[in-house]
Amino acid sequence: RETELTQTAADAYPDAGSHLVGELRWLNRLLAADVLRLRQASFYESLKDFRRFLIPDEEVDALLVNEVFDNEEAPQESGQAESIQYLLRQAEDIRSELARWAKTARGAGSLLPLPQLAQSFHLTEFETQALVICLAPQIDARYEKLYAYLQNDFSKKAPSVDLILGLLSRTVEERIELLPFFDATAPLQHYRLIESVENGTGLSAGQRFFRADPRILQYVLGN
């Protein structure tokens, strides 16, 4: 049985890149759900007079189905609310799969960089997921367009604290509890796992933008 688990773990994530693909599959579902949520609220319809300054819906839709997402796992035709819940359930399933295989790989003596990083710096699950969101645009530039679309600003290609909290929390109470994880003394910034993309002068806490530190990017890529 132990040999079977070891082989299965190796098949699931044979290297750092394969594990990162799994992390991005999880992120894809959260992003797709957020796009649908904003459209459900008719957020973009209210900005129709400014569309020429924004990324077109059609371009975002193309990103959602062109390699960034698994076509065979796209939600069936249904209402937006049902599709959002479908995508969020998928995201939860992928997270469970990632945790299961990381544990199995660790038991088999295989160290996947991202779980090893999280363990070394004692990151919470939220901090690890936030780090993945910050890493994504440095792995695949198409995430820059998705982030800019969700942040309603073509120039905002890195994730803001507000975007990260919006993807990873469901209530105002959760957002307030999670906000301190981006403080300068908290692990993500204190250990330079992420870095600010601007000086932050005059910005509110939610409007700070981050990317992964270049050396952290290289480490999780297995270099």
Side-chain angles (χ1 to χ4, degrees):
R1 176 61 176 171
E2 183 177 347
T3 301
E4 179 185 341
L5 286 174
T6 302
Q7 291 173 339
T8 305
D11 291 340
Y13 302 118
D15 51 39
S18 299
H19 183 257
L20 272 180
V21 168
E23 292 284 353
L24 295 180
R25 287 181 62 239
W26 159 77
L27 176 57
N28 293 341
R29 273 64 187 175
L30 293 187
L31 293 173
D34 213 36
V35 167
L36 292 179
R37 179 182 62 80
L38 288 174
R39 290 181 181 174
Q40 184 182 39
S42 298
F43 174 73
Y44 291 105
E45 181 63 23
S46 66
L47 299 172
K48 59 184 178 182
D49 292 337
F50 302 94
R51 296 305 296 170
R52 62 192 178 95
F53 299 108
L54 306 175
I55 297 173
D57 291 348
E58 294 78 11
E59 187 171 352
V60 168
D61 291 341
L63 288 174
L64 297 182
V65 298
N66 183 23
E67 298 183 25
V68 175
F69 294 96
D70 303 330
N71 293 335
E72 68 275 13
E73 295 185 8
Q76 302 299 316
E77 290 296 328
S78 60
Q80 286 184 327
E82 291 79 4
S83 295
I84 291 170
Q85 292 306 312
Y86 175 89
L87 288 163
L88 293 178
R89 286 196 300 270
Q90 276 199 326
E92 290 179 2
D93 290 342
I94 293 171
R95 275 254 66 88
S96 298
E97 176 188 282
L98 286 164
R100 184 168 64 251
W101 291 130
K103 181 178 180 180
T104 302
R106 186 166 59 250
S110 176
L111 298 179
L112 297 170
L114 187 59
Q116 178 67 10
L117 187 74
Q119 182 179 3
S120 297
F121 289 101
H122 305 287
L123 301 182
T124 64
E125 184 176 6
F126 170 79
E127 289 171 309
T128 305
Q129 293 173 6
L131 179 58
V132 170
I133 295 172
C134 292
L135 279 166
Q138 293 159 271
I139 297 171
D140 190 329
R142 288 172 293 187
Y143 287 97
E144 292 183 344
K145 289 187 177 181
L146 290 170
Y147 289 177
Y149 180 85
L150 289 171
Q151 295 177 122
N152 189 31
D153 190 326
F154 190 79
S155 68
K156 299 187 185 307
K157 299 177 180 180
S160 65
V161 171
D162 189 60
L163 176 62
I164 297 171
L165 293 177
L167 292 172
L168 300 181
S169 64
R170 294 290 173 263
T171 66
V172 174
E173 289 77 13
E174 279 187 294
R175 292 172 72 95
I176 293 173
E177 290 177 4
L178 295 172
L179 195 56
F181 284 107
F182 297 97
D183 288 348
T185 55
L188 285 174
Q189 285 208 78
H190 179 70
Y191 296 121
R192 292 180 54 210
L193 305 181
I194 62 174
E195 61 183 14
S196 176
V197 300
E198 49 192 290
N199 60 28
T201 302
L203 293 176
S204 66
Q207 288 302 309
R208 291 172 293 166
F209 296 81
F210 291 100
R211 64 187 172 201
D213 186 281
R215 77 192 198 289
I216 299 302
L217 172 63
Q218 292 302 314
Y219 179 77
V220 299
L221 288 173
N223 299 330

